[in-house]
Each structure stands twice: as structure tokens, then as C-alpha cells.
Amino acid sequence: MDVPGFALITGAASGMGRETAKKFAQDGAAGVALLDLNAEALEKVKSEVQPLSQNKDFKIVTHALDVSNEDEVNKVVSSVKEAFGRIDYVVNSAGIAFKHEGGGAFAETKDYRKVLAVNLDGTFFVMRAAAKIMLEQSPLKSTIDGRELQRGSIVNFASVAGLTGIGLSTAYCASKHAVIGLTKTMSEDYARRGLRINAVCPGYMDTPMTRQNPDIARALEDRAANWTPMGRAGQPGEVADAVIFLSGGRSSFITGSAMVVDGGYTER
Ligand SMILES: NC(=O)c1ccc[n+]([C@@H]2O[C@H](COP(=O)([O-])OP(=O)(O)OC[C@H]3O[C@@H](n4cnc5c(N)ncnc54)[C@H](O)[C@@H]3O)[C@@H](O)[C@H]2O)c1
């Protein structure tokens, strides 16, 4: 998939972030920085990822981090740059889901703010800190052909909830629509300077996010079986493949896109 550089992944301790870290290692990345709130799970993922690389110099670092904390984000992103010398790919997978009982009319401000703080502010803080670094670095050479390659590539996790409404999910849907807005507008700012910025929009996925909360798990069963044309939930690796494609040289003419990976959920 032409990802020879260094990747920084948030939400790397679980679900789609974890699978993405594994695929970077398998597909020849020089190193990965794994970031997440959950320090213990990060170490477990580190031990899963390391043996997947064929690269004897493969580097791997972990950082416990709350992406909604701007100062922490700036510190950690610059420490990753110090460790690797550059940051070629950023994947913003950290996120939380929340169902407001009774719908938006009864949503509590603290819940609304929390979802926006992690999903939207967190994505912005990481993207901003990394983009400044990427803009200063020399472009990476393609490993597949002579095509002009990028200074950096950022993939943000939106959702089908960034393209459609979903009941009881006011804050979550607002945050994911906004992630697409962030992605599109920042992609235009730097499209001529070698930065590509895209989003992925997963449909209903079989991950700890959807399995651990009983309300969300019920919605997953229903939406996967009855609303998804393929009749099933997606597996985390199926989205990780799209992230690797959007990160690397094979997507060299794609920027500002919101790629759906949803088993057909949004085709109607
Ligand atoms: N699971 C789905 O059906 C689905 C569908 C569409 C989009 N998404 C989005 O995909 C992304 C990954 O979801 P997943 O299903 O793999 O979830 P997951 O819960 O398995 O993993 C999310 C990770 O983010 C971390 N995280 C949460 N808050 C954080 C914070 N403040 N700072 C740092 N890390 C934090 C968690 O610790 C966890 O390891 C999320 O942005 C989610 O909104 C999920």
C-alpha cells in the first residue's frame, strides 16, 4: 500500500485504531506511534504490532494521552517527531459514542460537550500539531513508482453519522459531521503544499465501542442486520485497509474526501 514512512495513530489501543497499527506494520511502515487514553491496553497492542513488521529497524513508541487536552497533544506530537525525525501519516481514530436517553431535547450539556471535546476538538488538536510538522518536512518518495509523493497524509475518523442523522445521537452526529467539515477545509488549505487530508466514514462496525455499551450493541445488531445492504457489521480490519490506502502513495490524487466503508448503509 506504499506506506514506507512513520505513522502516528490515536485511539490505537482498541478497535479500528489497533487494526490500523497492525496494518502499518505489515505493510512496511518505518515505525508507528501508538496513542490512547488507555496506557495498559496500549502496551498489549504494542506487543501485537511489533512482530508483524518485517523491517528490522521498525520503531514503535506509545504515549498515554487524552486527545481533548490541547497541551498534552502538542507535547506528545512533538515528542513523536523527536523520536522518528518526521511524521508521515496521522490517523485520528480516538473517539467516543453516546446515546442521549429521550433524544436531543433531554441531552445533558456535560455529555454533549464531552463527545465534542474528544471527537471534534481532539481530532483538530492532533491534526493541527501534526500538520505544522508535516509542512516543514521534505516529501516522501513512493516505493511503487515515480509518482510525486506527499509531505504528509492525515486520515480522520468520521462515520456514517457524519453523513446522515442517527436517532438519540445528537452530539455524536454533530461531532462526526464537523470532522468532515474540518477535513475538507484543511485539505484545501494545504492541497498545493503536499499535504493530503481525508476522512473515513465507517458504517456499523464490530468493535469494543459498539459491543461494550448495551444500548449501542442493540442498535448495532438491528442496523447491521436490517439497515445495511450487506446484512452484517463490518470488521475493524476492513476499515483499516481503507485507512492504509488513504494514507499511502496509492491514493496520491485523493484529498478532501470522506470515504464510506459501510456495507452499503448510505447508498439509499
Ligand atoms: N464502531 C463503529 O461502529 C464506528 C462506526 C463509525 C465510526 N466509528 C469511529 O471510529 C473510531 C474508532 O472507533 P472504534 O469502534 O474502533 O472504537 P473503540 O472504542 O474500540 O476504540 C476507540 C479508542 O479511543 C480511545 N479514546 C477514547 N477517548 C479518548 C481520548 N480522550 N483520548 C485518547 N484516546 C481516547 C479509547 O480508549 C479506545 O482505545 C471512533 O472515532 C469512532 O467514533 C466507529
Side-chain angles (χ1 to χ4, degrees), residues 43-203:
E43 290 311 308
K44 190 166 173 286
V45 173
K46 181 180 176 183
S47 66
E48 292 170 357
V49 169
Q50 185 84 54
L52 297 174
S53 173
Q54 307 271 325
N55 177 350
K56 68 175 173 35
D57 298 321
F58 184 70
K59 291 193 179 135
I60 180 159
V61 296
T62 59
H63 289 274
L65 165 76
D66 178 352
V67 293
S68 67
N69 182 324
E70 182 176 3
D71 292 338
E72 258 187 61
V73 167
N74 290 337
K75 273 191 209 128
V76 167
V77 172
S78 79
S79 148
V80 172
K81 152 78 169 59
E82 288 309 306
F84 292 162
R86 55 186 294 135
I87 300 174
D88 296 293
Y89 323 107
V90 164
V91 178
N92 273 308
S93 185
I96 52 173
F98 194 87
K99 294 269 183 208
H100 308 284
E101 204 178 326
F106 302 95
E108 294 202 24
T109 305
K110 71 170 173 38
D111 299 328
Y112 172 82
R113 292 215 190 289
K114 172 87 182 156
V115 172
L116 286 166
V118 177
N119 295 1
L120 177 58
D121 298 355
T123 298
F124 172 62
F125 293 154
V126 174
M127 180 160 61
R128 181 179 59 184
K132 280 194 193 122
I133 291 167
M134 288 171 162
L135 286 167
E136 296 295 313
Q137 63 196 16
S138 55
L140 196 66
K141 288 204 181 339
S142 172
T143 55
I144 46 171
D145 57 27
R147 80 178 80 163
E148 202 173 301
L149 254 197
Q150 64 215 12
R151 231 172 267 286
S153 171
I154 299 174
V155 180
N156 295 323
F157 269 75
S159 166
V160 291
L163 299 166
T164 65
I166 293 181
L168 310 181
S169 301
T170 306
Y172 188 75
C173 279
S175 73
K176 294 301 186 182
H177 275 73
V179 164
I180 293 177
L182 271 186
T183 302
K184 288 189 173 182
T185 199
M186 262 186 69
S187 77
E188 180 160 337
D189 290 343
Y190 304 114
R192 288 171 188 244
R193 293 178 63 188
L195 231 68
R196 296 187 302 106
I197 307 180
N198 292 287
V200 277
C201 299

